[in-house]
Amino acid sequence: MSNNREKNIEKFAEMFKALSNPNRLKIFLRLISCCVPGVITHIKDSVESEECACVGDLGKDLGIVPSTISHYIKELRQAGLINMERQGQKVECSIAPETLIALKSFFSS
Amino acid sequence: MSNNREKNIEKFAEMFKALSNPNRLKIFLRLISCCVPGVITHIKDSVESEECACVGDLGKDLGIVPSTISHYIKELRQAGLINMERQGQKVECSIAPETLIALKSFFSS
DNA sequence: TCGATTATTCGACATAATTCGAAATATAAT
DNA sequence: ATTATATTTCGAATTATGTCGAATAATCGA
């Protein structure tokens, strides 16, 4: 139905809005390079390797205060681009694999 | 150089911003389906077929006033997503093929 | 040249986004 | 229990976006 297509357009527009801020885009790209479920994880600069990136990690590199990072990440999640899961004190973030697939095919279909 | 990558991120963020409005996204998708240079053109509903879509055509379907459409299209062009060319009274719009290629590969690289 | 068609620019207003610091909440460690 | 760490929420200020109508400009045909 055409209504469905309408809804998809709204949804993709929402995703693109979430990615329209350079810092949010950087966060998203970083998660793509290290935190796609089912993909070998990235070894960090430090002595330790990490499975995934928590909210604080994502902010450190970008020099952004925690409240702003938290807000960014919420927007990425609301757009369906990432998943979040509390792990103790931290909240781990990862790419939403099905959304990434949808984006991959969006411009090719 | 890393500066280059920075610049690319800014550029892609700009593209996503242009596509973050549902009406602009619809315009972009319509142009993809009919006005990519070097691709067989789409046959319209009317008796006549058209090579490409002019600014006015793009607005008619969406029920948006000309000034707004003109504004939208300017944003898409400034983001590098489309090309425009005056053809008599009308201004024909088409997809910028190299940008489309860049977008296709963005989520896959 | 005049009028019709098409597109752009301008000015205005309402709505939304950006971003921060402060305060609040959740969890872990001592 | 208290403290430290990580994150979220809230309130506020600034800036940007969306959208329109009116005015302006470009081009074609009679």
Side-chain angles (χ1 to χ4, degrees):
Chain A
M1 51 192 86
S2 72
N3 200 6
N4 202 352
R5 176 147 183 82
E6 282 291 302
K7 243 188 175 164
N8 270 337
I9 287 180
E10 299 283 335
K11 191 63 198 163
F12 277 105
E14 200 185 335
M15 291 182 209
F16 294 139
K17 181 178 289 178
L19 298 177
S20 73
N21 175 292
N23 283 324
R24 284 195 301 262
L25 185 53
K26 284 176 197 168
I27 292 170
F28 182 74
L29 289 175
R30 166 157 174 191
L31 289 175
I32 282 188
S33 75
C34 73
C35 311
V36 180
V39 163
I40 296 160
T41 55
H42 172 77
I43 306 296
K44 279 186 53 185
D45 300 319
S46 72
V47 217
E48 300 181 49
S49 71
E50 288 194 3
E51 275 250 316
C52 206
C54 70
V55 173
D57 291 339
L58 293 169
K60 247 167 256 163
D61 305 336
L62 300 172
I64 299 170
V65 299
S67 64
T68 301
I69 283 289
S70 179
H71 187 214
Y72 283 170
I73 286 177
K74 189 172 158 193
E75 289 178 273
L76 290 169
R77 196 204 58 209
Q78 284 176 338
L81 292 163
I82 68 172
N83 297 129
M84 303 169 72
E85 191 181 357
R86 178 134 233 155
Q87 217 103 57
Q89 280 175 295
K90 302 186 176 182
V91 173
E92 300 286 345
C93 303
S94 59
I95 289 286
E98 70 287 357
T99 305
L100 183 56
I101 290 170
L103 282 171
K104 276 184 209 279
S105 65
F106 183 79
F107 294 104
S108 303
S109 62
Chain B
M1 50 194 87
S2 73
N3 200 5
N4 201 353
R5 175 147 184 82
E6 282 292 302
K7 244 188 177 167
N8 270 338
I9 287 180
E10 299 284 335
K11 190 63 199 164
F12 277 106
E14 201 184 334
M15 290 182 209
F16 294 139
K17 181 178 289 179
L19 297 177
S20 73
N21 174 291
N23 284 324
R24 285 196 300 263
L25 185 53
K26 283 177 198 169
I27 292 170
F28 182 74
L29 290 175
R30 167 155 173 192
L31 289 176
I32 282 188
S33 75
C34 74
C35 310
V36 179
V39 164
I40 295 160
T41 55
H42 172 75
I43 307 295
K44 280 185 50 185
D45 300 318
S46 71
V47 218
E48 299 181 49
S49 71
E50 288 192 2
E51 274 251 316
C52 206
C54 70
V55 174
D57 290 340
L58 293 168
K60 247 168 256 162
D61 305 338
L62 301 173
I64 298 171
V65 299
S67 63
T68 301
I69 283 290
S70 181
H71 187 215
Y72 283 169
I73 286 177
K74 189 172 158 192
E75 288 179 274
L76 290 169
R77 197 204 55 209
Q78 285 176 337
L81 292 163
I82 67 173
N83 297 130
M84 303 170 72
E85 191 182 356
R86 178 133 232 156
Q87 217 104 55
Q89 281 174 294
K90 302 186 176 181
V91 172
E92 301 286 345
C93 302
S94 59
I95 289 287
E98 70 287 357
T99 305
L100 183 56
I101 290 170
L103 282 171
K104 276 183 209 279
S105 65
F106 183 80
F107 294 104
S108 302
S109 61

